[in-house]
Amino acid sequence: RDQLIKKLNNKKIETRPFFTALDEQPIYLRKKSLPISEGISKKGINLPSSMSITNQEIQFIIGSIKNIIKSK
């Protein structure tokens, strides 16, 4: 995930890691572990989204992700 984020940022595609799992937030640290949400939070990324994003921008993002995955 971190490499994908870095490579997308190099292409001027703003991304960021996904949400922080609930059980990793300070108020819940001593509560029950939530392994599924922990896994998702460690693997997921937020991609650009907006009411004004164009189809051309979406296609550029998709193509960039495909190219990065293929180059592995």
Side-chain angles (χ1 to χ4, degrees):
R1 171 190 78 174
D2 294 337
Q3 287 288 16
L4 178 60
I5 289 173
K6 183 178 178 180
K7 289 179 180 184
L8 289 172
N9 285 335
N10 288 340
K11 292 179 171 284
K12 308 291 187 230
I13 300 171
E14 278 190 47
T15 62
R16 64 182 190 282
F18 209 44
F19 68 90
T20 302
L22 190 63
D23 63 318
E24 294 176 349
Q25 295 182 16
I27 195 167
Y28 297 105
L29 283 177
R30 291 188 171 89
K31 306 290 183 190
K32 183 179 177 183
S33 176
L34 302 169
I36 293 172
S37 65
E38 289 170 14
I40 292 169
S41 74
K42 287 177 175 55
K43 295 177 185 174
I45 64 171
N46 288 308
L47 296 172
S49 61
S50 164
M51 293 297 291
S52 62
I53 194 168
T54 66
N55 196 35
Q56 184 177 359
E57 291 168 324
I58 293 169
Q59 294 307 315
F60 177 72
I61 295 165
I62 292 168
S64 297
I65 292 170
K66 285 181 176 180
N67 289 335
I68 292 167
I69 291 171
K70 283 180 190 176
S71 69
K72 278 190 158 190

